[in-house]
Structures are given as C-alpha cells and as structure tokens.
Amino acid sequence: MNTSRNLSNVGNWLQKEYETTDGVGATTGNSVNNCSLSALANILIYYAANGYSKIPLDRIKIYNSFRQRAILLGYNNTDGISVTSIDNLVEEAWKSFGYTDGSGSNNYAWSFAVFEAQINNSRPALFSLASRPYYNHTVAVKGYNIYKNGTSTYHFLIVKDNWNKGDRFISDQEFYLGCHTTITPPSFKS
C-alpha cells in the first residue's frame, strides 16, 4: 500500500529569484544565503493562494514584507539567519501582513510523523538541516510519500529546496540532524 500527499500552490521560486548580491528581486548578481527567507516566502505563497487575502500574490512583495523584520532577528545575506530564530521569523512574517495570531514553533526532536501530520492538516512546514545533503540549509516541506514493500515501509518528504524548480525528496533511510518549524496559520484568513 502506498500513501501520498502533496500540497499544491507552494511557491516554486529559487533563492536567487528572491535576492542576489545585487539586491532583492535583481536578475543579476551572485546567490546569497537566504534559504530560510525564500522557503518561508514560498510557503506564504501557498497561504496567499488558499484564501489569506492580506498576503499579496507577488513573491517580491511577500519577501520584502518580512525581510526587514528578519534583519532585526539577525539575518544578513552572507550568513542567513540562525535556525533558533526561524520560529520568530514565521511570527514576524504573519505580523507583517497584519495577522496577529499566526505562529511558528521550532522542534529539534522532529520525526517524519510530525511532518506528515502537518501536511495532513494542509500546513506546509520548514525543515532546517544541519547534515548532508542539505548542510546548513532550510527547505519547504510540502508533502510526503509512504511506500510499503512487504514488511518494509519507506517514508519520503517532498520538499522545495530553493536550488531547483522540481520537487526533491528526503528519505527516512538516512539520518538527518535538523529542526522542524511548524507554521500555524492565523485563525481568520482576512
């Protein structure tokens, strides 16, 4: 038996399409270390497409809406933002659109089951990895696949890694040191 869930409308923009060394929205320049911000912006695109009308549909407007707040939390385009501040960044992003009760929560004892529960509740999440293949990188988790073969079960997270346009997969067959950031949307969409 196989099970799959993949949330549509999560943004498909790359890090360099949000910000380069030439500035926000620039089409020239080198890539910067903005993975957490771009992953969050891609998730906020999902919420904008799903009825959260205070969030604009324009990716650069979304990104700019919370980028200044990220700087106050320690973000810079060389070092990025500390994983310990990502939950605060989520809360500040919701506030930047006028939502007072949206929140983020970091969980360093993550599991595939926690991600699956988030996706089953139509809530994409952030995953900040401190081990290969995504060392020091944050991705947007948008779905999962579960494959059963006899007595074996294999779990895969479906992620947008902000480096490539296609979906990527993280398997439960490898060890990952990381932080799962849940994103709880506001109780009212408008």
Side-chain angles (χ1 to χ4, degrees):
M1 177 178 173
N2 297 329
T3 305
S4 183
R5 179 96 195 263
N6 192 350
L7 301 176
S8 59
N9 297 323
V10 172
N12 199 31
W13 299 97
L14 306 179
Q15 286 178 238
K16 65 184 177 184
E17 293 174 314
Y18 282 108
E19 181 176 3
T20 70
T21 53
D22 288 347
V24 173
T27 57
T28 60
N30 296 319
S31 295
V32 298
N33 194 358
N34 65 333
C35 58
S36 299
L37 276 68
S38 59
L40 178 56
N42 281 335
I43 288 174
L44 290 168
I45 288 171
Y46 166 84
Y47 283 107
N50 283 285
Y52 286 82
S53 60
K54 294 181 184 179
I55 302 173
L57 294 174
D58 180 274
R59 69 180 166 84
I60 298 301
K61 286 182 181 176
I62 290 172
Y63 188 84
N64 271 332
S65 292
F66 65 85
R67 185 178 179 276
Q68 282 305 117
R69 293 170 186 241
I71 290 169
L72 295 174
L73 292 170
Y75 167 75
N76 66 67
N77 67 13
T78 301
D79 301 319
I81 190 167
S82 169
V83 68
T84 60
S85 297
I86 294 176
D87 55 345
N88 296 320
L89 176 63
V90 170
E91 291 179 17
E92 290 300 320
W94 285 120
K95 288 178 188 174
S96 73
F97 299 112
Y99 293 106
T100 57
D101 63 338
S103 66
S105 179
N106 288 345
N107 181 352
Y108 299 95
W110 66 273
S111 70
F112 277 84
V114 172
F115 281 113
E116 290 163 12
Q118 286 292 120
I119 298 303
N120 287 339
N121 283 316
S122 300
R123 294 180 177 178
L126 296 169
F127 192 17
S128 303
L129 293 116
S131 59
R132 299 276 177 217
Y134 291 115
Y135 176 74
N136 196 28
H137 188 61
T138 300
V139 299
V141 179
K142 64 184 286 277
Y144 64 85
N145 291 327
I146 302 171
Y147 300 101
K148 295 186 179 185
N149 183 5
T151 60
S152 299
T153 302
Y154 306 94
H155 298 254
F156 295 88
L157 297 177
I158 304 170
V159 303
K160 289 293 185 188
D161 68 6
N162 308 320
W163 293 338
N164 299 284
K165 290 284 188 176
D167 290 344
R168 300 292 189 199
F169 301 89
I170 295 177
S171 167
D172 70 344
Q173 300 301 300
E174 297 182 37
F175 172 77
Y176 298 98
L177 181 62
C179 175
H180 164 239
T181 302
T182 60
I183 298 173
T184 303
S187 51
F188 296 102
K189 292 183 177 184
S190 57

